[in-house]
Amino acid sequence: MVGGYKKIGEGVVGGYKKIETGVVERFEKVTDKCVEKLFARVGEPVEKTKKRLSSSSSDNAKKTEE
């Protein structure tokens, strides 16, 4: 009986992990497209744009703290 519950539990956790991975991957694709269309400079790769935006926002946060 306990072995059956463990199998069910493992199946549920495995299914959840697959769904979670799929959702995160799709979210990242959507985010990349938004960054590419809205914030990237001409010819600028998405990763470089994300770094530029990230450093820009951290600079703004530092200014706000001061």
Side-chain angles (χ1 to χ4, degrees):
M1 191 91 161
V2 173
Y5 290 131
K6 284 185 180 182
K7 270 188 156 179
I8 292 171
E10 290 171 0
V12 169
V13 170
Y16 173 81
K17 289 292 183 184
K18 287 180 184 177
I19 292 170
E20 180 183 38
T21 301
V23 169
V24 169
E25 288 174 357
R26 286 179 183 87
F27 178 79
E28 289 174 351
K29 286 181 182 179
V30 170
T31 302
D32 287 350
K33 283 295 182 186
C34 289
V35 167
E36 179 182 0
K37 295 290 183 188
L38 298 173
F39 302 110
R41 295 175 179 152
V42 176
E44 184 179 37
V46 172
E47 291 304 316
K48 187 174 181 182
T49 304
K50 285 181 176 181
K51 287 180 184 178
R52 179 175 50 83
L53 292 172
S54 176
S55 67
S56 170
S57 66
S58 65
D59 291 343
N60 290 337
K62 288 178 185 176
K63 289 178 184 178
T64 304
E65 290 175 2
E66 294 174 353

